[in-house]
Amino acid sequence: MVVAYVICYIVCELIPLSWFVIQKYFELDPLSKDLMFKKMSEIFRGHKSDLRKNYYDIFNTDEERMRNCPPKIDKNDWAEFIRYESTPEAKEKRKKGKQNRSRLEYCHHSGRKSHAMITQEMVRVLYMCFEC
């Protein structure tokens, strides 16, 4: 079985439909919907970033990019990705993002733990300190 990763941009109207499909196959707490879509969004952005870095930016022309389609990516999706990334709007958006990132004074690193997990651990430690 061949697995193709979709890289096309999700239309906002499809999000409720995707939640319906997910609920059809999995029993999920409705409260987890926002968290799940947030995580899906992070993974999607990371995947696009990897594609740009490893397959888009290393070539100078769209023809070269088309000839070097990443494995497990549908050629039509790749062509759409290249078309979008080559637009002046997308280029300007990336340029602005790079400028904003370069101005960061402090880059947050908390490892694999979320802010909520770190907060919970800190509260637990403080609670244990006050019990002593």
Side-chain angles (χ1 to χ4, degrees):
M1 178 168 109
V2 175
V3 176
Y5 296 109
V6 178
I7 56 171
C8 291
Y9 295 87
I10 297 172
V11 179
C12 291
E13 290 83 27
L14 295 178
I15 290 176
L17 177 63
S18 60
W19 177 246
F20 175 75
V21 172
I22 290 167
Q23 283 185 313
K24 186 177 177 181
Y25 295 101
F26 301 99
E27 285 187 33
L28 295 171
D29 181 3
L31 299 175
S32 66
K33 178 180 178 181
D34 291 338
L35 180 63
M36 187 186 67
F37 280 116
K38 181 180 177 189
K39 189 64 178 171
M40 287 171 56
S41 177
E42 289 172 7
I43 292 169
F44 183 65
R45 282 194 313 268
H47 181 59
K48 289 187 305 181
S49 176
D50 290 343
L51 288 173
R52 279 189 216 105
K53 182 173 58 176
N54 299 326
Y55 294 96
Y56 182 84
D57 290 341
I58 62 174
F59 299 106
N60 295 322
T61 65
D62 288 347
E63 290 78 26
E64 288 178 303
R65 294 175 181 126
M66 272 307 295
R67 283 195 304 269
N68 294 286
C69 181
K72 297 185 180 181
I73 300 293
D74 181 71
K75 294 222 183 272
N76 294 328
D77 287 344
W78 182 240
E80 180 64 23
F81 183 80
I82 291 171
R83 186 199 61 73
Y84 174 77
E85 292 297 328
S86 298
T87 62
E89 295 85 20
K91 289 179 181 179
E92 183 61 32
K93 193 175 181 180
R94 288 179 68 195
K95 182 179 175 184
K96 185 176 178 182
K98 287 178 185 178
Q99 289 172 347
N100 289 340
R101 181 84 177 154
S102 70
R103 283 189 242 138
L104 284 178
E105 292 179 18
Y106 175 72
C107 189
H108 169 69
H109 294 284
S110 65
R112 297 180 61 176
K113 295 181 183 178
S114 67
H115 292 288
M117 289 176 70
I118 293 171
T119 303
Q120 187 178 21
E121 284 182 4
M122 292 172 71
V123 167
R124 190 179 311 126
V125 168
L126 285 173
Y127 181 74
M128 288 179 2
C129 288
F130 286 117
E131 280 187 339
C132 296

